[in-house]
Amino acid sequence: MLKGYIPPFNATVVQKLIDQGAVLVGKTNLDEFAMGCGSTDSVFGPVKNPWSFSENYKQRCQLNFKKTDDCDWLVAGGSSGGSAVAVASLTCFATLGSDTGGSTRNPAAHCGVVGLKPTYGLVSRHGLIPLVNSMDVPGIFTRCVDDAATVLGILAGHDPKDSTTVQESFKPFQLPDGINVKNICIGIPKEYHAEGLSKETVELWSKAADLFERAGARVVQVSLPHTQYSIVCYHVLCAAEVASNMARFDGLEYGHRSNIDSSTDTMYAASRHEGFNDVVRGRILCGNYFLLKQNYERYFVKAQKVRRLIANDFMKVFHSGVDILLTPTTLCDAVPYLEFIKEDNRTRTAQEDVFTQPVNLAGLPAVTVPTALSQRGLPIGLHFIGRKFHDEQLLTVAKWFEQQVNFPNAVLKDISTSCRDLS
C-alpha cells in the first residue's frame, strides 16, 4: 500500500534522535501494518532470526546452514522483528519499533535483546502509523537496560503534536550501578501460568523469583482475574480501530492506486484489495462488523468495559503494595518458520501475546530482559511490568536482574559473524 511513499515529515521520536546527533541507518522490516507476531507477513518477505545461524544452535539441532539452503530458520517474533534483529546482529546501537500488544517485547525476547514498552503517553506517537491509537506506543530495542534508559531519556516528554502525551516535563535519568532491591515487592500473577508455557520458561520464571527473594525483595503471588479475557477484548478493540485507521488508505491521496478506475468506488475497492494483504483486509472486515449499529453495544462497548476491568486488576495489585510484576514474555523460545506458519495469523497472535498484551490495555510500562539460553541454545526472556509513569523504577529493577543473570551477550558477536559469512 505504501510502496515508494516518502513521508513529508519526520516522526517526533525520529526527529528527537536526529537532534541529539543519532545516525539513522535505515528502516526495518515488520509484519504489514504491524499486524502479526512473527514478522512473517511482510511484502518484503519474512524476517529471519539471527540465532538461527549461531554455532550453538546449529550444533544442538544438528543443522547445516548454507547460503543456498532454503532452511527451516527461526522466526524473529513480531511485529517489529526487523528492529530486534538489527540490534541482535550488531547492525546498530538501538532501534525503534511499535508496541500495541507486545510487538517490541515479543521479538526482543526471541532475539536475546532488551525490549522496552514505555508508559502510554510518555513517548509521542506523532508520525507513528497507527494500528490501535489507544494502545500504540513507540518501543525501544537495545542490548542492555542502560542503553534503553538512555534512548528513553531522549524520546520521552510532552509533544504538542500529540495530545495523548503527558503535560509534565520529563527529566532523563541515569540508572545507578549499585542497586538494592530489599525494599521492592515483586508480584507473580497466578493467571500467567498459561496453557502451552514451556517447562524451561516456568523453571526460569521460578528461579528469577527465588533470585529476588534471596536478595531481600518480597515476592508475593497476586491475582489478575480478568487476564483470561484480554486477548478476546484486544482483538475486538484492535479490529475496530484498524477499520477506522485503515480508511485513510483509499488510493486517492497517497499510497497504492489501482489501474482499475472505471469509477471512484471501483478504484477505491480495487486499490485496497491490491494494497492490503489478507491479514489486514480480514481485520478491517472484522472491525467494520463490530462497529455496525446492531453490533456496537454487543462487541465494542462490552470490550471497552472489559478493558476497564483488566486495568483495574493491575491498579488493585499495585495499590496493594506491589512494585513490579514478574512474568514470562513468551511461551517458549523461537520456533522454526515452517512450524510457525502451520497456524494462521490470528491464532498465533492469540498464543504469543498472552503475557504482553494486557499491559497495553492498561497503558503500563514493561520491559523484557534476556535471561538464559534454552536447551536448544536460544534466548528466553522474562518480562517486568511497572506502575504507570514509574519507568525509572521498572528499568532500575530490570538492570539489577540483568546484572544477576549475566546473559551471554558474547554470543551475539558470533551470530553477527555467522550472518556476515552467509551474506
Side-chain angles (χ1 to χ4, degrees), residues 144-221:
C144 69
V145 176
D146 269 326
D147 291 347
T150 299
V151 177
L152 179 64
I154 295 170
L155 303 183
H158 176 66
D159 179 14
K161 297 176 181 176
D162 179 4
S163 61
T164 62
T165 51
V166 290
Q167 296 296 319
E168 297 80 11
S169 59
F170 177 82
K171 293 182 179 179
F173 53 82
Q174 187 172 359
L175 301 178
D177 289 323
I179 301 170
N180 191 335
V181 295
K182 285 186 177 180
N183 296 321
I184 297 294
C185 181
I186 305 292
I188 309 294
K190 63 181 183 181
E191 290 82 6
Y192 279 52
H193 286 273
E195 183 181 353
L197 187 60
S198 72
K199 184 179 178 182
E200 284 182 300
T201 306
V202 173
E203 289 176 355
L204 278 177
W205 188 17
S206 178
K207 287 179 181 178
D210 293 340
L211 190 65
F212 277 102
E213 210 159 32
R214 288 196 300 270
R218 188 163 64 94
V219 179
V220 298
Q221 187 181 73

Side-chain angles (χ1 to χ4, degrees), residues 37-228:
C37 61
S39 298
T40 57
D41 293 317
S42 167
V43 70
F44 299 105
V47 179
K48 298 180 180 181
N49 192 325
W51 287 81
S52 307
F53 310 105
S54 71
E55 290 300 324
N56 198 9
Y57 173 68
K58 288 190 287 186
Q59 289 171 3
R60 296 191 187 196
C61 296
Q62 298 180 339
L63 296 174
N64 182 23
F65 284 81
K66 295 180 181 178
K67 183 178 179 181
T68 56
D69 285 346
D70 183 15
C71 303
D72 190 8
W73 38 266
L74 304 165
V75 297
S79 60
S80 301
S83 297
V85 168
V87 173
S89 60
L90 307 186
T91 302
C92 52
F93 167 77
T95 54
L96 299 179
S98 62
D99 198 310
T100 309
S103 292
T104 295
R105 291 158 288 153
N106 176 286
H110 284 319
C111 293
V113 297
V114 173
L116 171 63
K117 173 218 170 289
T119 300
Y120 183 84
L122 189 62
V123 177
S124 172
R125 294 184 297 111
H126 178 69
L128 173 67
I129 294 178
L131 176 64
V132 183
N133 301 68
S134 63
M135 300 182 209
D136 294 340
V137 178
I140 299 167
F141 295 88
T142 56
R143 281 184 289 277
C144 69
V145 176
D146 269 326
D147 291 347
T150 299
V151 177
L152 179 64
I154 295 170
L155 303 183
H158 176 66
D159 179 14
K161 297 176 181 176
D162 179 4
S163 61
T164 62
T165 51
V166 290
Q167 296 296 319
E168 297 80 11
S169 59
F170 177 82
K171 293 182 179 179
F173 53 82
Q174 187 172 359
L175 301 178
D177 289 323
I179 301 170
N180 191 335
V181 295
K182 285 186 177 180
N183 296 321
I184 297 294
C185 181
I186 305 292
I188 309 294
K190 63 181 183 181
E191 290 82 6
Y192 279 52
H193 286 273
E195 183 181 353
L197 187 60
S198 72
K199 184 179 178 182
E200 284 182 300
T201 306
V202 173
E203 289 176 355
L204 278 177
W205 188 17
S206 178
K207 287 179 181 178
D210 293 340
L211 190 65
F212 277 102
E213 210 159 32
R214 288 196 300 270
R218 188 163 64 94
V219 179
V220 298
Q221 187 181 73
V222 299
S223 178
L224 300 168
H226 295 95
T227 294
Q228 59 183 312

Side-chain angles (χ1 to χ4, degrees), residues 13-31:
V13 288
V14 171
Q15 192 59 52
K16 283 188 172 184
L17 289 171
I18 292 173
D19 292 343
Q20 292 298 318
V23 178
L24 301 185
V25 179
K27 294 184 178 181
T28 57
N29 200 3
L30 73 160
D31 286 301

Side-chain angles (χ1 to χ4, degrees), residues 300-345:
F300 185 75
V301 173
K302 184 178 287 186
Q304 291 285 28
K305 291 178 179 178
V306 174
R307 179 179 186 176
R308 173 57 60 189
L309 293 174
I310 293 169
N312 287 343
D313 284 346
F314 282 106
M315 197 181 302
K316 289 175 184 176
V317 166
F318 287 127
H319 284 171
S320 71
V322 172
D323 297 299
I324 301 290
L325 293 174
L326 171 63
T327 78
T329 310
T330 57
L331 291 169
C332 60
D333 56 9
V335 300
Y337 172 71
L338 295 180
E339 180 182 334
F340 184 85
I341 59 175
K342 288 178 181 178
E343 303 280 3
D344 61 66
N345 180 286

Side-chain angles (χ1 to χ4, degrees), residues 343-366:
E343 303 280 3
D344 61 66
N345 180 286
R346 190 191 182 285
T347 303
R348 273 296 179 188
T349 303
Q351 293 169 344
E352 296 293 332
D353 290 350
V354 62
F355 304 120
T356 55
Q357 200 286 313
V359 171
N360 295 79
L361 287 172
L364 303 172

